[in-house]
PDB file of all heavy atoms in Angstrom:
ATOM      1  N   ASP A   1     -15.324  -2.878  -8.487  1.00 96.00           N
ATOM      2  CA  ASP A   1     -14.498  -1.670  -8.515  1.00 96.00           C
ATOM      3  C   ASP A   1     -13.523  -1.774  -9.672  1.00 96.00           C
ATOM      4  O   ASP A   1     -13.600  -2.701 -10.488  1.00 96.00           O
ATOM      5  CB  ASP A   1     -13.768  -1.470  -7.179  1.00 96.00           C
ATOM      6  CG  ASP A   1     -12.916  -2.670  -6.779  1.00 96.00           C
ATOM      7  OD1 ASP A   1     -12.300  -3.284  -7.679  1.00 96.00           O
ATOM      8  OD2 ASP A   1     -12.869  -3.001  -5.581  1.00 96.00           O
ATOM      9  N   GLN A   2     -12.595  -0.797  -9.747  1.00 96.00           N
ATOM     10  CA  GLN A   2     -11.606  -0.777 -10.827  1.00 96.00           C
ATOM     11  C   GLN A   2     -10.219  -1.145 -10.310  1.00 96.00           C
ATOM     12  O   GLN A   2      -9.222  -0.492 -10.626  1.00 96.00           O
ATOM     13  CB  GLN A   2     -11.569   0.612 -11.479  1.00 96.00           C
ATOM     14  CG  GLN A   2     -12.752   0.921 -12.385  1.00 96.00           C
ATOM     15  CD  GLN A   2     -14.049   1.128 -11.627  1.00 96.00           C
ATOM     16  OE1 GLN A   2     -14.090   1.869 -10.641  1.00 96.00           O
ATOM     17  NE2 GLN A   2     -15.111   0.472 -12.069  1.00 96.00           N
ATOM     18  N   ALA A   3     -10.133  -2.179  -9.493  1.00 96.00           N
ATOM     19  CA  ALA A   3      -8.849  -2.599  -8.914  1.00 96.00           C
ATOM     20  C   ALA A   3      -8.542  -4.047  -9.268  1.00 96.00           C
ATOM     21  O   ALA A   3      -8.038  -4.805  -8.444  1.00 96.00           O
ATOM     22  CB  ALA A   3      -8.873  -2.410  -7.395  1.00 96.00           C
ATOM     23  N   SER A   4      -8.827  -4.428 -10.504  1.00 97.00           N
ATOM     24  CA  SER A   4      -8.668  -5.824 -10.895  1.00 97.00           C
ATOM     25  C   SER A   4      -7.226  -6.204 -11.203  1.00 97.00           C
ATOM     26  O   SER A   4      -6.790  -7.305 -10.872  1.00 97.00           O
ATOM     27  CB  SER A   4      -9.543  -6.126 -12.119  1.00 97.00           C
ATOM     28  OG  SER A   4      -9.545  -7.509 -12.415  1.00 97.00           O
ATOM     29  N   PHE A   5      -6.477  -5.290 -11.827  1.00 98.00           N
ATOM     30  CA  PHE A   5      -5.121  -5.634 -12.291  1.00 98.00           C
ATOM     31  C   PHE A   5      -4.056  -4.870 -11.516  1.00 98.00           C
ATOM     32  O   PHE A   5      -4.119  -3.639 -11.441  1.00 98.00           O
ATOM     33  CB  PHE A   5      -4.980  -5.290 -13.778  1.00 98.00           C
ATOM     34  CG  PHE A   5      -3.649  -5.673 -14.360  1.00 98.00           C
ATOM     35  CD1 PHE A   5      -3.473  -6.920 -14.930  1.00 98.00           C
ATOM     36  CD2 PHE A   5      -2.586  -4.788 -14.337  1.00 98.00           C
ATOM     37  CE1 PHE A   5      -2.237  -7.268 -15.484  1.00 98.00           C
ATOM     38  CE2 PHE A   5      -1.358  -5.135 -14.875  1.00 98.00           C
ATOM     39  CZ  PHE A   5      -1.187  -6.380 -15.446  1.00 98.00           C
ATOM     40  N   PRO A   6      -3.082  -5.602 -10.958  1.00 98.00           N
ATOM     41  CA  PRO A   6      -2.963  -7.053 -10.841  1.00 98.00           C
ATOM     42  C   PRO A   6      -3.588  -7.552  -9.547  1.00 98.00           C
ATOM     43  O   PRO A   6      -4.060  -6.751  -8.732  1.00 98.00           O
ATOM     44  CB  PRO A   6      -1.450  -7.261 -10.827  1.00 98.00           C
ATOM     45  CG  PRO A   6      -0.936  -6.024 -10.130  1.00 98.00           C
ATOM     46  CD  PRO A   6      -1.857  -4.899 -10.516  1.00 98.00           C
ATOM     47  N   SER A   7      -3.563  -8.855  -9.332  1.00 98.00           N
ATOM     48  CA  SER A   7      -4.144  -9.444  -8.125  1.00 98.00           C
ATOM     49  C   SER A   7      -3.205  -9.294  -6.934  1.00 98.00           C
ATOM     50  O   SER A   7      -2.062  -9.747  -6.966  1.00 98.00           O
ATOM     51  CB  SER A   7      -4.427 -10.930  -8.366  1.00 98.00           C
ATOM     52  OG  SER A   7      -4.675 -11.603  -7.149  1.00 98.00           O
ATOM     53  N   GLY A   8      -3.707  -8.665  -5.873  1.00 98.00           N
ATOM     54  CA  GLY A   8      -2.908  -8.503  -4.662  1.00 98.00           C
ATOM     55  C   GLY A   8      -2.705  -9.812  -3.924  1.00 98.00           C
ATOM     56  O   GLY A   8      -1.626 -10.064  -3.374  1.00 98.00           O
ATOM     57  N   HIS A   9      -3.739 -10.666  -3.895  1.00 98.00           N
ATOM     58  CA  HIS A   9      -3.600 -11.968  -3.235  1.00 98.00           C
ATOM     59  C   HIS A   9      -2.533 -12.818  -3.921  1.00 98.00           C
ATOM     60  O   HIS A   9      -1.704 -13.448  -3.257  1.00 98.00           O
ATOM     61  CB  HIS A   9      -4.935 -12.716  -3.244  1.00 98.00           C
ATOM     62  CG  HIS A   9      -5.877 -12.317  -2.163  1.00 98.00           C
ATOM     63  ND1 HIS A   9      -6.503 -11.087  -2.133  1.00 98.00           N
ATOM     64  CD2 HIS A   9      -6.320 -12.994  -1.056  1.00 98.00           C
ATOM     65  CE1 HIS A   9      -7.284 -11.012  -1.076  1.00 98.00           C
ATOM     66  NE2 HIS A   9      -7.189 -12.145  -0.398  1.00 98.00           N
ATOM     67  N   SER A  10      -2.562 -12.837  -5.250  1.00 98.00           N
ATOM     68  CA  SER A  10      -1.598 -13.654  -5.991  1.00 98.00           C
ATOM     69  C   SER A  10      -0.180 -13.141  -5.813  1.00 98.00           C
ATOM     70  O   SER A  10       0.764 -13.925  -5.647  1.00 98.00           O
ATOM     71  CB  SER A  10      -1.962 -13.674  -7.481  1.00 98.00           C
ATOM     72  OG  SER A  10      -3.241 -14.220  -7.679  1.00 98.00           O
ATOM     73  N   SER A  11       0.002 -11.832  -5.862  1.00 98.00           N
ATOM     74  CA  SER A  11       1.342 -11.268  -5.674  1.00 98.00           C
ATOM     75  C   SER A  11       1.833 -11.521  -4.256  1.00 98.00           C
ATOM     76  O   SER A  11       3.008 -11.823  -4.042  1.00 98.00           O
ATOM     77  CB  SER A  11       1.336  -9.771  -5.983  1.00 98.00           C
ATOM     78  OG  SER A  11       0.429  -9.078  -5.155  1.00 98.00           O
ATOM     79  N   GLY A  12       0.934 -11.430  -3.272  1.00 98.00           N
ATOM     80  CA  GLY A  12       1.323 -11.697  -1.895  1.00 98.00           C
ATOM     81  C   GLY A  12       1.735 -13.144  -1.689  1.00 98.00           C
ATOM     82  O   GLY A  12       2.759 -13.434  -1.052  1.00 98.00           O
ATOM     83  N   ALA A  13       0.941 -14.086  -2.227  1.00 97.00           N
ATOM     84  CA  ALA A  13       1.285 -15.503  -2.099  1.00 97.00           C
ATOM     85  C   ALA A  13       2.602 -15.801  -2.800  1.00 97.00           C
ATOM     86  O   ALA A  13       3.426 -16.584  -2.304  1.00 97.00           O
ATOM     87  CB  ALA A  13       0.168 -16.363  -2.684  1.00 97.00           C
ATOM     88  N   ALA A  14       2.835 -15.166  -3.962  1.00 98.00           N
ATOM     89  CA  ALA A  14       4.061 -15.416  -4.714  1.00 98.00           C
ATOM     90  C   ALA A  14       5.289 -14.860  -4.008  1.00 98.00           C
ATOM     91  O   ALA A  14       6.349 -15.499  -3.992  1.00 98.00           O
ATOM     92  CB  ALA A  14       3.943 -14.820  -6.122  1.00 98.00           C
ATOM     93  N   VAL A  15       5.174 -13.674  -3.435  1.00 98.00           N
ATOM     94  CA  VAL A  15       6.338 -13.103  -2.753  1.00 98.00           C
ATOM     95  C   VAL A  15       6.664 -13.908  -1.502  1.00 98.00           C
ATOM     96  O   VAL A  15       7.844 -14.154  -1.193  1.00 98.00           O
ATOM     97  CB  VAL A  15       6.121 -11.611  -2.417  1.00 98.00           C
ATOM     98  CG1 VAL A  15       5.221 -11.422  -1.214  1.00 98.00           C
ATOM     99  CG2 VAL A  15       7.451 -10.907  -2.185  1.00 98.00           C
ATOM    100  N   PHE A  16       5.643 -14.384  -0.778  1.00 98.00           N
ATOM    101  CA  PHE A  16       5.888 -15.239   0.385  1.00 98.00           C
ATOM    102  C   PHE A  16       6.554 -16.544  -0.036  1.00 98.00           C
ATOM    103  O   PHE A  16       7.520 -16.995   0.589  1.00 98.00           O
ATOM    104  CB  PHE A  16       4.580 -15.543   1.115  1.00 98.00           C
ATOM    105  CG  PHE A  16       4.091 -14.431   1.996  1.00 98.00           C
ATOM    106  CD1 PHE A  16       2.748 -14.099   2.025  1.00 98.00           C
ATOM    107  CD2 PHE A  16       4.959 -13.734   2.815  1.00 98.00           C
ATOM    108  CE1 PHE A  16       2.277 -13.085   2.853  1.00 98.00           C
ATOM    109  CE2 PHE A  16       4.507 -12.711   3.646  1.00 98.00           C
ATOM    110  CZ  PHE A  16       3.158 -12.392   3.657  1.00 98.00           C
ATOM    111  N   ALA A  17       6.030 -17.165  -1.108  1.00 97.00           N
ATOM    112  CA  ALA A  17       6.574 -18.442  -1.566  1.00 97.00           C
ATOM    113  C   ALA A  17       8.012 -18.299  -2.033  1.00 97.00           C
ATOM    114  O   ALA A  17       8.858 -19.159  -1.756  1.00 97.00           O
ATOM    115  CB  ALA A  17       5.708 -19.002  -2.694  1.00 97.00           C
ATOM    116  N   THR A  18       8.305 -17.212  -2.735  1.00 98.00           N
ATOM    117  CA  THR A  18       9.667 -17.000  -3.240  1.00 98.00           C
ATOM    118  C   THR A  18      10.654 -16.787  -2.099  1.00 98.00           C
ATOM    119  O   THR A  18      11.743 -17.377  -2.078  1.00 98.00           O
ATOM    120  CB  THR A  18       9.696 -15.787  -4.182  1.00 98.00           C
ATOM    121  OG1 THR A  18       8.798 -16.014  -5.271  1.00 98.00           O
ATOM    122  CG2 THR A  18      11.099 -15.562  -4.727  1.00 98.00           C
ATOM    123  N   MET A  19      10.296 -15.961  -1.136  1.00 98.00           N
ATOM    124  CA  MET A  19      11.201 -15.710  -0.013  1.00 98.00           C
ATOM    125  C   MET A  19      11.354 -16.960   0.850  1.00 98.00           C
ATOM    126  O   MET A  19      12.438 -17.238   1.372  1.00 98.00           O
ATOM    127  CB  MET A  19      10.693 -14.524   0.807  1.00 98.00           C
ATOM    128  CG  MET A  19      10.756 -13.215   0.053  1.00 98.00           C
ATOM    129  SD  MET A  19      10.391 -11.721   1.029  1.00 98.00           S
ATOM    130  CE  MET A  19       8.707 -12.056   1.562  1.00 98.00           C
ATOM    131  N   THR A  20      10.272 -17.732   1.010  1.00 96.00           N
ATOM    132  CA  THR A  20      10.366 -18.993   1.748  1.00 96.00           C
ATOM    133  C   THR A  20      11.325 -19.943   1.047  1.00 96.00           C
ATOM    134  O   THR A  20      12.164 -20.588   1.683  1.00 96.00           O
ATOM    135  CB  THR A  20       8.987 -19.654   1.864  1.00 96.00           C
ATOM    136  OG1 THR A  20       8.096 -18.787   2.567  1.00 96.00           O
ATOM    137  CG2 THR A  20       9.075 -20.977   2.614  1.00 96.00           C
ATOM    138  N   SER A  21      11.214 -20.041  -0.284  1.00 96.00           N
ATOM    139  CA  SER A  21      12.096 -20.904  -1.055  1.00 96.00           C
ATOM    140  C   SER A  21      13.551 -20.469  -0.916  1.00 96.00           C
ATOM    141  O   SER A  21      14.456 -21.303  -0.755  1.00 96.00           O
ATOM    142  CB  SER A  21      11.677 -20.881  -2.523  1.00 96.00           C
ATOM    143  OG  SER A  21      12.535 -21.680  -3.309  1.00 96.00           O
ATOM    144  N   LYS A  22      13.792 -19.169  -0.956  1.00 96.00           N
ATOM    145  CA  LYS A  22      15.151 -18.649  -0.783  1.00 96.00           C
ATOM    146  C   LYS A  22      15.697 -18.990   0.608  1.00 96.00           C
ATOM    147  O   LYS A  22      16.874 -19.334   0.764  1.00 96.00           O
ATOM    148  CB  LYS A  22      15.161 -17.132  -0.982  1.00 96.00           C
ATOM    149  CG  LYS A  22      14.858 -16.676  -2.396  1.00 96.00           C
ATOM    150  CD  LYS A  22      16.025 -16.907  -3.322  1.00 96.00           C
ATOM    151  CE  LYS A  22      15.775 -16.307  -4.687  1.00 96.00           C
ATOM    152  NZ  LYS A  22      16.927 -16.524  -5.603  1.00 96.00           N
ATOM    153  N   ASN A  23      14.836 -18.889   1.614  1.00 95.00           N
ATOM    154  CA  ASN A  23      15.273 -19.207   2.972  1.00 95.00           C
ATOM    155  C   ASN A  23      15.581 -20.694   3.125  1.00 95.00           C
ATOM    156  O   ASN A  23      16.537 -21.080   3.813  1.00 95.00           O
ATOM    157  CB  ASN A  23      14.192 -18.794   3.977  1.00 95.00           C
ATOM    158  CG  ASN A  23      13.990 -17.289   4.026  1.00 95.00           C
ATOM    159  OD1 ASN A  23      14.850 -16.521   3.582  1.00 95.00           O
ATOM    160  ND2 ASN A  23      12.861 -16.852   4.564  1.00 95.00           N
ATOM    161  N   ILE A  24      14.771 -21.542   2.484  1.00 93.00           N
ATOM    162  CA  ILE A  24      14.996 -22.985   2.554  1.00 93.00           C
ATOM    163  C   ILE A  24      16.345 -23.358   1.941  1.00 93.00           C
ATOM    164  O   ILE A  24      16.983 -24.332   2.357  1.00 93.00           O
ATOM    165  CB  ILE A  24      13.831 -23.728   1.865  1.00 93.00           C
ATOM    166  CG1 ILE A  24      12.577 -23.651   2.753  1.00 93.00           C
ATOM    167  CG2 ILE A  24      14.187 -25.184   1.587  1.00 93.00           C
ATOM    168  CD1 ILE A  24      11.329 -24.230   2.114  1.00 93.00           C
ATOM    169  N   ASP A  25      16.795 -22.570   0.958  1.00 93.00           N
ATOM    170  CA  ASP A  25      18.104 -22.833   0.343  1.00 93.00           C
ATOM    171  C   ASP A  25      19.237 -22.830   1.357  1.00 93.00           C
ATOM    172  O   ASP A  25      20.292 -23.414   1.110  1.00 93.00           O
ATOM    173  CB  ASP A  25      18.407 -21.783  -0.737  1.00 93.00           C
ATOM    174  CG  ASP A  25      17.694 -22.082  -2.048  1.00 93.00           C
ATOM    175  OD1 ASP A  25      17.308 -23.246  -2.260  1.00 93.00           O
ATOM    176  OD2 ASP A  25      17.509 -21.141  -2.843  1.00 93.00           O
TER     177      ASP A  25
END
């Protein structure tokens, strides 16, 4: 299909990781 950019999986993993890191602070 034409839904290559950007990656939804990568953005989802990154937003989870960033918020988790902020919470760990």
